[in-house]
């Protein structure tokens, strides 16, 4: 029994000892964690305190610039004690003393001001300038997060945000400027694009004009001894290429044929003559069908830097008189023709944002506008488009649908008789005219780079040369190729002056110089 008790007691002592050790271990761990946290907090406080007191001024240092974000404060520490502080513009910054060696500056308004610190007896301790600007800390973090591989930096200059550094393309620059505008309205952009892109735009203007017309008319001319009657206006009786005798009578058929075949009558003109009892009646039939097709093509090529605008005009200008002061007349000019203006922006991965404004205009002589003093100017027929698309290098798009159609129907007839069915066609003239114009614009952008220094750039005339007297006068050649010039140059004169140029050109164009340059 005692033995059992001893064993139990001994077990209880060992358990209690183990519990005590566990409690001591937990207590030591809690104390260590508390000490570590306190040290960390004290270090952070000390670091923040050191940062807030990093700017120091003294009487000899009067060029210190303190930058304070708007709506935030900054502390300034002095080496000697002070008793008074003056602020040049209190609306820009509010300065409050904290101790006799420190003061706090609160930014209130974007701008700059000067702060003077005095000791006892108005002794100057220090002078420093305060610049209140936008808070660029968040902007810097946002730029680093949005553009991890770029070198865009944000700073402040006279209260404005300035971006500097380099970016890969113009699209990244545009995004960075847009983000910076959320932190300040005025942005100074000094960022440079690492590889500026140039865009060449190939444009084809294809205009197809179709015309179709039909005419059918009858004209009756009666020539008597004392009167002449005309029905129809296709060709008046007095303008007929037929000499009618004043005394009437018949007209030789040969004279009629000569007048018709002389070319004075319109195309599709037929005439029939009825003779009887001294009265001559001519029946004139004019039947004509017209068809026409015209195509005009212009292919301007323009090159512009990304973000810039390039324009093109192939046409002309016509003067317009404009009334000025004191009755003076000045002249203004109106442009017309094939015009184009485009603004490319190179985005990432060879994607091009393209704003294009093509225009095709021509002078309309059928419509005029009176200006002044009896002067009239013609109107313009204008077809204009404006669009913005995104294409990759070498892709094309077509602007179509600029279709213009004009239909004209005209009927000239004799009253009452021309309205009779079937028979009324003998007393009427009808004409039909239809004009259609279709304009298509094909646009293809390309990313281009200038030629390297030293690369040869060939012109369209590099493969041809002017002829000499023999080539021009004897052989009738207005120009010759280099190979032909070498073959036409005599073997005894195989010495050119300008490198591999053969003996070409007329008397005044013969080269003079080194005769030892052999043609290759």
């Amino acid at each position: 029994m005692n033995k059992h008790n001893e064993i139990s007691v001994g077990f209880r002592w060992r358990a209690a000892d183990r519990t005590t050790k566990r409690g001591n271990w937990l207590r030591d761990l809690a104390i260590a964690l508390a000490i570590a946290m306190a040290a960390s907090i004290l270090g952070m406080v000390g670091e923040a305190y050191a940062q807030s007191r990093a700017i120091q001024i003294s009487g000899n240092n009067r060029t210190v610039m303190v930058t304070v974000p708007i709506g935030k404060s900054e502390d300034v520490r002095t080496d000697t004690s002070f008793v008074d502080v003056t602020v040049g513009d209190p609306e820009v910054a509010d300065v409050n003393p904290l101790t006799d060696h420190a003061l706090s500056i609160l930014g209130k308004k974007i701008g700059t001001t000067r702060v003077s610190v005095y000791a006892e007896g108005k002794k100057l301790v220090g002078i420093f300038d305060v610049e209140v600007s936008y808070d660029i800390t968040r902007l810097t973090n946002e730029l680093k997060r949005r553009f991890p591989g770029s070198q865009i930096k944000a700073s402040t200059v006279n209260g404005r945000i300035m971006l500097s550094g380099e970016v890969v393309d113009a699209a990244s620059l545009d995004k960075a400027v847009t983000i910076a505008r959320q932190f300040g309205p005025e942005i100074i952009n000094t960022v440079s694009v690492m590889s500026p892109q140039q865009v060449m735009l190939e444009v084809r203007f294809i205009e197809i004009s179709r015309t179709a017309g039909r005419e059918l008319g009858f004209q009756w001319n009666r020539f008597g001894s004392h009167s002449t009657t005309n029905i129809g206006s296709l060709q008046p009786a007095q303008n007929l290429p037929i000499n009618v005798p004043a005394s009437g009578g018949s007209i030789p058929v040969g004279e009629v044929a000569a007048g018709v075949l002389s070319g004075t009558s319109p195309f599709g003109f037929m005439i029939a003559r009825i003779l009887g009892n001294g009265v001559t009646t001519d029946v004139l039939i004019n039947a004509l069908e017209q068809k026409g097709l015209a195509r005009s093509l212009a292919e301007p090529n323009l090159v512009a830097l990304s973000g810039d605008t390039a324009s093109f005009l192939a046409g002309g200008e016509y003067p317009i008189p404009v009334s000025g002061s004191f009755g003076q007349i000045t002249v203004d000019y109106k442009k017309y023709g094939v015009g184009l203006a485009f603004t490319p922006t190179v985005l990432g991965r060879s994607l091009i944002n393209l704003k294009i404004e093509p225009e095709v205009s021509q002078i309309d002589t059928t419509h005029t506008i009176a200006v002044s003093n009896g002067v009239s100017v013609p109107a313009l027929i204008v077809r204009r488009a404006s669009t913005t698309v995104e294409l990759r290098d070498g892709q094309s798009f077509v602007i179509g649908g600029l279709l213009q159609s004009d239909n004209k129907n005209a009927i000239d007839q004799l009253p009452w008789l021309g309205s009779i069915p079937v028979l009324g066609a003998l007393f009427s003239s009808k004409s039909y005219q239809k004009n259609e114009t279709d304009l298509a614009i094909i646009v293809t952008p390309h990313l281009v780079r200038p030629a390297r220094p030293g690369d040869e750039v060939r012109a369209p005339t590099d493969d041809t040369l002017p002829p000499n007297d023999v080539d021009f006068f004897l052989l009738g050649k207005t120009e010759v190729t280099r190979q032909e010039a070498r073959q036409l140059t005599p073997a005894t004169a195989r010495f050119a002056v300008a490198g591999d140029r053969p003996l070409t050109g007329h008397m005044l164009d013969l080269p003079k110089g080194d005769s030892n340059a052999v043609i290759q």
Side-chain angles (χ1 to χ4, degrees):
M1 186 70 180
N2 294 331
K3 184 178 181 180
H4 178 72
N5 293 335
E6 291 177 358
I7 295 174
S8 300
V9 172
F11 175 78
R12 285 197 296 272
W13 274 105
R14 286 193 294 270
D17 183 59
R18 186 177 301 173
T19 304
T20 303
K21 291 181 179 181
R22 182 180 300 174
N24 294 334
W25 179 78
L26 293 175
R27 182 186 62 188
D28 295 341
L29 179 61
I31 294 174
L33 291 176
I35 293 174
M37 293 178 62
S40 177
I41 294 173
L42 290 175
M44 294 174 60
V45 172
E47 182 180 359
Y49 181 82
Q51 290 180 357
S52 64
R53 302 298 189 270
I55 303 176
Q56 297 181 3
I57 63 172
S58 62
N60 297 326
N61 188 4
R62 301 188 180 185
T63 59
V64 176
M65 173 66 73
V66 180
T67 302
V68 181
I70 185 172
K72 295 185 178 181
S73 62
E74 183 72 25
D75 295 342
V76 176
R77 186 177 181 84
T78 62
D79 295 337
T80 59
S81 61
F82 63 90
V83 296
D84 192 12
V85 178
T86 59
V87 183
D89 189 355
E91 295 183 358
V92 175
D94 189 8
V95 182
N96 297 315
L98 299 177
T99 64
D100 58 347
H101 286 80
L103 50 87
S104 177
I105 303 175
L106 175 63
K108 300 169 59 179
K109 178 182 177 182
I110 299 296
T112 58
T113 185
R114 173 159 291 186
V115 178
S116 301
V117 181
Y118 299 93
E120 294 182 359
K122 293 296 181 178
K123 182 180 178 181
L124 183 64
V125 175
I127 298 176
F128 61 93
D129 294 331
V130 177
E131 177 185 357
V132 180
S133 61
Y134 296 98
D135 187 7
I136 62 173
T137 303
R138 292 178 53 198
L139 175 59
T140 302
N141 297 332
E142 189 69 20
L143 293 177
K144 290 181 179 180
R145 187 178 68 87
R146 298 278 183 176
F147 312 99
S150 63
Q151 301 178 1
I152 304 179
K153 299 178 181 179
S155 59
T156 58
V157 175
N158 196 23
R160 296 176 177 85
I161 297 177
M162 183 180 72
L163 299 180
S164 60
E166 294 182 349
V167 292
V168 179
D169 49 30
S172 300
L173 175 58
D174 184 67
K175 292 180 182 178
V177 173
T178 303
I179 294 174
R181 285 199 179 98
Q182 307 306 316
F183 296 85
E186 298 183 12
I187 305 299
I188 303 175
N189 183 13
T190 62
V191 182
S192 60
V193 181
M194 298 176 60
S195 57
Q197 299 286 350
Q198 297 182 103
V199 179
M200 181 183 70
L201 192 67
E202 294 182 358
V203 184
R204 298 179 62 193
F205 290 88
I206 303 175
E207 185 178 12
I208 302 176
S209 178
R210 301 182 180 90
T211 59
R214 291 182 179 179
E215 296 180 7
L216 179 62
F218 290 86
Q219 181 168 318
W220 299 83
N221 296 324
R222 179 183 179 279
F223 304 97
S225 58
H226 300 286
S227 63
T228 301
T229 304
N230 171 255
I231 300 176
S233 60
L234 292 178
Q235 190 169 357
Q238 61 271 19
N239 293 333
L240 287 174
I242 302 173
N243 297 324
V244 181
S247 59
S250 62
I251 303 175
V253 179
E255 183 178 351
V256 177
V260 174
L261 297 177
S262 63
T264 58
S265 299
F267 184 85
F269 180 80
M270 295 179 292
I271 184 172
R273 171 155 295 174
I274 303 174
L275 303 175
N277 298 326
V279 178
T280 303
T281 303
D282 294 336
V283 181
L284 286 78
I285 302 175
N286 187 13
L288 179 64
E289 182 175 1
Q290 296 177 342
K291 294 181 180 180
L293 176 62
R295 297 182 180 181
S296 60
L297 176 64
E299 297 185 4
N301 294 334
L302 300 178
V303 179
L305 284 174
S306 176
D308 291 343
T309 301
S311 59
F312 167 86
L313 176 63
E317 298 180 353
Y318 69 90
I320 300 176
V322 179
S323 300
S325 58
F326 303 104
Q328 297 179 353
I329 302 296
T330 59
V331 178
D332 193 8
Y333 290 88
K334 182 66 176 178
K335 298 180 180 180
Y336 68 93
V338 179
L340 173 68
F342 84 106
T343 304
T345 302
V346 180
L347 307 178
R349 298 183 299 275
S350 300
L351 188 64
I352 304 173
N353 180 280
L354 191 64
K355 180 181 179 181
I356 179 172
E357 297 178 351
E359 178 180 328
V360 176
S361 59
Q362 60 185 7
I363 297 178
D364 185 9
T365 57
T366 60
H367 298 83
T368 58
I369 300 175
V371 181
S372 62
N373 298 328
V375 179
S376 60
V377 295
L380 284 179
I381 300 176
V382 181
R383 280 168 290 177
R384 184 184 298 115
S386 178
T387 182
T388 302
V389 295
E390 290 187 357
L391 300 173
R392 297 194 180 274
D393 183 11
Q395 290 183 334
S396 302
F397 78 97
V398 181
I399 300 177
L402 301 177
L403 178 64
Q404 182 178 357
S405 179
D406 296 331
N407 297 328
K408 296 180 181 179
N409 297 326
I411 299 178
D412 297 332
Q413 64 180 14
L414 193 68
W416 303 298
L417 293 179
S419 302
I420 300 175
V422 182
L423 294 179
L426 300 176
F427 301 95
S428 63
S429 298
K430 301 179 179 64
S431 63
Y432 166 78
Q433 184 72 26
K434 182 177 182 180
N435 300 324
E436 286 186 354
T437 302
D438 191 5
L439 177 63
I441 304 172
I442 304 174
V443 179
T444 306
H446 294 282
L447 293 178
V448 296
R449 296 182 180 273
R452 296 176 300 179
D455 290 349
E456 182 182 2
V457 180
R458 300 185 62 85
T461 58
D462 288 348
D463 294 332
T464 60
L465 297 173
N468 54 24
D469 293 343
V470 176
D471 300 334
F472 181 72
F473 292 105
L474 297 182
L475 302 180
K477 293 182 177 292
T478 57
E479 62 180 3
V480 294
T481 63
R482 291 185 178 270
Q483 186 65 26
E484 292 176 347
R486 294 189 185 97
Q487 295 176 358
L488 295 175
T489 301
T492 58
R494 294 283 179 125
F495 298 99
V497 175
D500 63 342
R501 178 175 178 177
L503 298 179
T504 59
H506 300 285
M507 291 185 298
L508 296 179
D509 298 330
L510 290 178
K512 298 178 181 180
D514 186 9
S515 61
N516 295 324
V518 181
I519 302 174
Q520 300 180 357

